[in-house]
């Protein structure tokens, strides 16, 4: 399942690479839940608000077509339910 806008997805992958994750979880290629779960724990100490702030900093909109509220709801859901949040 994919719920992120492509620019959000690419930014998360880039942040993971910059943080030393050379080979992100391959399941994240097909399911944003796995990508976000990995990013939550590698980049944000499991705190969805912290990851959200990295992707959507204050100021001019970086991801013009993304639904920021929807993104935050998914980050919270994944933080609470894990990568399997997309399954149910």
């Amino acid at each position: 399942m994919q719920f992120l806008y492509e620019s959000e997805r690419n930014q998360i992958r880039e942040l993971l690479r910059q943080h030393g994750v050379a080979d992100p979880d391959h399941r994240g290629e097909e399911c944003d839940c796995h990508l976000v779960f990995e990013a939550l724990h590698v980049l944000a100490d499991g705190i969805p608000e912290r990851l959200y702030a990295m992707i959507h900093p204050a100021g001019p909109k970086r991801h013009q077509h993304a639904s920021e509220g929807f993104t935050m709801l998914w980050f919270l859901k994944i933080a609470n339910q894990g990568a399997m949040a997309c399954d149910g």
Side-chain angles (χ1 to χ4, degrees), residues 2-66:
Q2 295 188 324
F3 58 85
L4 294 170
Y5 190 69
E6 191 63 31
S7 64
E8 293 172 308
R9 192 174 300 113
N10 290 336
Q11 185 178 6
I12 289 173
R13 287 184 182 132
E14 181 58 30
L15 288 169
L16 285 168
R17 276 191 222 84
Q18 289 173 7
H19 199 73
V21 179
D23 190 23
D25 185 339
H26 69 281
R27 295 174 292 180
E29 295 171 13
E30 295 180 13
C31 178
D32 288 340
C33 283
H34 290 284
L35 179 65
V36 170
F37 183 80
E38 183 171 22
L40 272 170
H41 294 283
V42 171
L43 301 171
D45 297 322
I47 302 169
E49 293 85 359
R50 186 176 291 169
L51 180 61
Y52 180 83
M54 290 176 191
I55 306 305
H56 293 280
K61 281 188 111 174
R62 182 178 178 102
H63 307 284
Q64 295 178 4
H65 303 288

Side-chain angles (χ1 to χ4, degrees), residues 51-84:
L51 180 61
Y52 180 83
M54 290 176 191
I55 306 305
H56 293 280
K61 281 188 111 174
R62 182 178 178 102
H63 307 284
Q64 295 178 4
H65 303 288
S67 172
E68 295 176 4
F70 191 67
T71 298
M72 185 61 199
L73 287 174
W74 272 105
F75 284 10
L76 290 167
K77 184 174 181 174
I78 294 165
N80 289 324
Q81 297 177 13
M84 298 304 156

